[in-house]
Amino acid sequence: MHTRARVAGLLILAAALAGCGPTPTNPAPAPAPASSTATTVVLPWPAATTAQVASLQTAVDGGAQPWLLDPTQVALAYAAARGWPDAAAEGRTAAVVTIHSSAGTHVLTLAQPGKTGAAGIWVVTADR
């Protein structure tokens, strides 16, 4: 698949996932300043609770959303959810992916909160 098509697909998935999950019990964060194009994303992403992790893992086990098995693809989807359409991933070492975009350089830490290994989903746990 071409890179642009993959990024477009990840943007669509990120937009769809942005509304998934239960309503948080914490108040919503303050909106970003009008000059900022970045979107606030709650970490861990895309699953912040044990129930969300279990739901996504079940979906992946059933053949849906295979991108969740690849930490680089999860990092790119996170970048899309943050509103960084020009994001590029580099230098994946273990569970760390560096994202470069017009928003700057972000070092993302990822983890497998449930099942581990090749069949476990990845979530972004830190954005530095």
Side-chain angles (χ1 to χ4, degrees), residues 23-82:
T23 304
T25 56
N26 297 336
S35 62
S36 173
T37 59
T39 301
T40 300
V41 175
V42 176
L43 293 178
W45 184 94
T49 68
T50 303
Q52 290 171 336
V53 168
S55 177
L56 284 178
Q57 185 66 61
T58 299
V60 169
D61 290 346
Q65 303 184 44
W67 61 275
L68 287 166
L69 298 174
D70 181 338
T72 300
Q73 294 303 313
V74 172
L76 287 169
Y78 170 81
R82 289 289 312 266

Side-chain angles (χ1 to χ4, degrees), residues 76-94:
L76 287 169
Y78 170 81
R82 289 289 312 266
W84 308 331
D86 60 342
E90 132 186 341
R92 179 175 147 328
T93 305

